[in-house]
Amino acid sequence: MQNSPHLTDTRALRRNRTRANRTTGMFLQSAAIAEVQDRLSMVNREFTAPAIVTGFPDVWDTCLPDANLVPDSDVLDLQPQHHDLVIHGLSLHWADDPVGQLIQCRRALKDDGFFLAVTFGGKTLHELRASLAQAEVEITGGLSPRVAPMGEIRDLGALLQRAGFALPVADTVPLKVTYESPWSLMKDLRAMGEGNALQERLRKPTRRSILIRASEIYVDSFLEKGRIPATYELIFLTGWAPDATQQKPLRPGSAKTRLADALSTSEIKLPK
């Protein structure tokens, strides 16, 4: 029996994260932390046993000072039904099995425990991806894997249901950052620790001619007021570990009041 292929080269990912600049490269992690804290403040619950899954524990330790910080490995170091809150902090896009990650988080929650994940969505870096793809096709006639695949909000929301969460919700927070040039953006990605760590990536440096052409395409296609924009889409996923006390939808046909009466309007019967 063959093993399933791995999306991520974990050694390269660890190397990239080790080389990340903790001073200038953590602004997206900080933005995600601030949004997580704001959302938790709106949940009418005091959490006493939180855990955070993250590839940057030294950054996320500011989110909840008493949280158990867990590496985002394939098998998460989480005890079953031990936590009342689990946060997955901006690393789900590197997971070989994102559904498995969510299932492990759900199993780690006590009944009625809360789950909150933040991950990059499919619109992230669409400008850079399009520019690199066009440049590589023009120069080499082919494409190589360069950016980790990131899910669309509808697909990611469906993962919550597949993982068994109750009351699942997915929403998005778009961020736009501008740079002097595409070269500044690529330098920033290295500072974030978000360089190419795909298993199937080219194992030699990208040809300079491709990077120069990609930069030209980026500027020609996306320049705004003398600067180039980069889109980062943060998708937030929330759900609860199932519990008998939670609200449940009514069975179809069990309503006791007509919608027409509630809206104070006339009911129009459809022809049979």
Side-chain angles (χ1 to χ4, degrees):
M1 182 177 178
Q2 293 182 338
N3 294 327
S4 59
H6 289 286
L7 168 72
T8 302
D9 179 347
T10 53
R11 288 186 59 187
L13 182 60
R14 286 195 300 269
R15 179 198 64 209
N16 292 348
R17 287 172 171 175
T18 299
R19 295 176 179 175
N21 190 319
R22 265 57 178 180
T23 302
T24 63
M26 296 295 107
F27 66 92
L28 286 178
Q29 300 285 339
S30 297
I33 290 170
E35 184 70 22
V36 165
Q37 291 173 325
D38 185 56
R39 288 167 183 251
L40 290 177
S41 70
M42 294 185 287
V43 178
N44 187 23
R45 184 75 61 88
E46 182 177 349
F47 299 106
T48 59
I52 301 176
V53 179
T54 174
F56 291 97
D58 53 333
V59 178
W60 279 82
D61 64 356
T62 62
C63 182
L64 292 172
D66 298 328
N68 179 28
L69 298 170
V70 177
D72 60 331
S73 54
D74 289 340
V75 179
L76 300 178
D77 187 18
L78 293 169
Q79 297 181 43
Q81 292 193 310
H82 183 74
H83 299 282
D84 54 6
L85 169 66
V86 175
I87 298 169
H88 207 298
L90 208 55
S91 59
L92 194 61
H93 59 293
W94 287 118
D96 285 333
D97 181 13
V99 176
Q101 292 278 300
L102 299 186
I103 291 174
Q104 292 181 73
C105 291
R106 179 181 59 77
R107 290 175 176 170
L109 287 170
K110 301 175 182 178
D111 291 347
D112 203 33
F114 186 54
F115 173 73
L116 196 164
V118 52
T119 186
F120 288 119
K123 294 182 178 64
T124 298
L125 297 177
H126 70 87
E127 306 95 342
L128 177 62
R129 285 184 285 159
S131 301
L132 282 170
Q134 182 178 335
E136 191 167 22
V137 168
E138 287 181 7
I139 293 173
T140 71
L143 284 173
S144 58
R146 296 187 179 277
V147 179
M150 290 164 276
E152 300 298 331
I153 186 169
R154 178 178 299 179
D155 299 328
L156 291 169
L159 295 186
L160 288 169
Q161 293 180 311
R162 288 179 58 188
F165 284 103
L167 309 174
V169 176
D171 67 284
T172 181
V173 175
L175 299 174
K176 181 183 285 190
V177 181
T178 64
Y179 295 89
E180 292 183 358
S181 70
W183 304 99
S184 300
L185 166 58
M186 287 183 273
K187 181 180 178 181
D188 220 5
L189 291 175
R190 289 192 293 271
M192 296 178 198
E194 293 291 343
N196 191 349
L198 294 173
Q199 186 70 43
E200 300 300 323
R201 73 191 186 282
L202 290 177
R203 299 306 174 102
K204 57 184 179 181
T206 300
R207 290 161 56 176
R208 185 167 179 82
S209 59
I210 294 176
L211 296 177
I212 291 174
R213 180 61 184 136
S215 181
E216 294 171 347
I217 294 169
Y218 206 135
V219 171
D220 291 342
S221 302
F222 300 105
L223 189 69
E224 296 180 359
K225 298 179 180 180
R227 295 176 68 85
I228 60 107
T231 299
Y232 300 98
E233 182 185 29
L234 300 183
I235 292 181
F236 289 84
L237 308 174
T238 60
W240 297 83
D243 185 73
T245 63
Q246 293 167 350
Q247 292 183 342
K248 294 178 175 58
L250 296 173
R251 289 183 296 104
S254 63
K256 297 181 179 179
T257 303
R258 297 189 312 157
L259 180 61
D261 294 338
L263 298 177
S264 300
T265 187
S266 300
E267 182 179 23
I268 301 176
K269 293 186 178 181
L270 297 176
K272 295 182 179 180

